[in-house]
Amino acid sequence: QVQLVESGGGLVQAGGSLRLSCVASGRISSINRMGWYRQAPGKQRELVAIITRDDSTTYVDSVKGRFTISRDNAKNTVSLQMNSLKPEDTAVYYCNARIRSVVEYDYWGQGTQVTVSS
């Protein structure tokens, strides 16, 4: 069984910073890409950032220059450093990872709430 567990969400004022972390555990052979998605109330889930095993990154335009994704392959973790937060960043943030256990599959964390007050 593979699990993704997120931490680091919370309430912050506009302009502040938060760091999200996610650790994958269980029967893991390899981890391909890892990433963060978010879903605001009444909106569809959207990609925030992804990082491949060789550290190639992709960001949604709205977070470029403010958010940084990183991973530690030895610890099976992915992090999202979020700076200069805006109220429109308020959402539930989900960790995602494409993991090969018996077969390759996309796994999701349970989500962590990020609320940015104006």
Side-chain angles (χ1 to χ4, degrees):
Q1 188 76 5
V2 173
Q3 276 191 317
L4 298 181
V5 178
E6 301 120 332
S7 61
L11 173 64
V12 65
Q13 288 188 332
S17 297
L18 282 174
R19 184 176 180 86
L20 305 182
S21 295
C22 173
V23 59
S25 63
R27 189 178 177 183
I28 298 171
S29 296
S30 62
I31 301 178
N32 192 343
R33 62 168 173 74
M34 305 184 82
W36 292 92
Y37 290 71
R38 66 186 179 187
Q39 187 166 18
K43 295 189 177 181
Q44 288 190 330
R45 189 174 297 188
E46 68 168 352
L47 170 69
V48 177
I50 56 173
I51 184 168
T52 64
R53 187 166 179 83
D54 62 357
D55 289 339
S56 176
T57 59
T58 301
Y59 297 91
V60 66
D61 285 346
S62 60
V63 308
K64 286 179 180 177
R66 301 188 298 122
F67 291 11
T68 303
I69 190 170
S70 60
R71 65 187 285 173
D72 184 331
N73 292 329
K75 297 181 179 180
N76 292 339
T77 60
V78 61
S79 298
L80 186 68
Q81 178 65 42
M82 306 185 293
N83 299 327
S84 302
L85 282 161
K86 304 176 180 180
E88 51 264 42
D89 294 317
T90 295
V92 177
Y93 284 69
Y94 296 91
C95 175
N96 169 267
R98 180 160 291 176
I99 296 173
R100 177 172 293 280
S101 180
V102 178
V103 295
E104 193 170 71
Y105 187 75
D106 272 347
Y107 291 88
W108 293 89
Q110 80 284 358
T112 186
Q113 177 70 47
V114 171
T115 302
V116 184
S117 63
S118 57

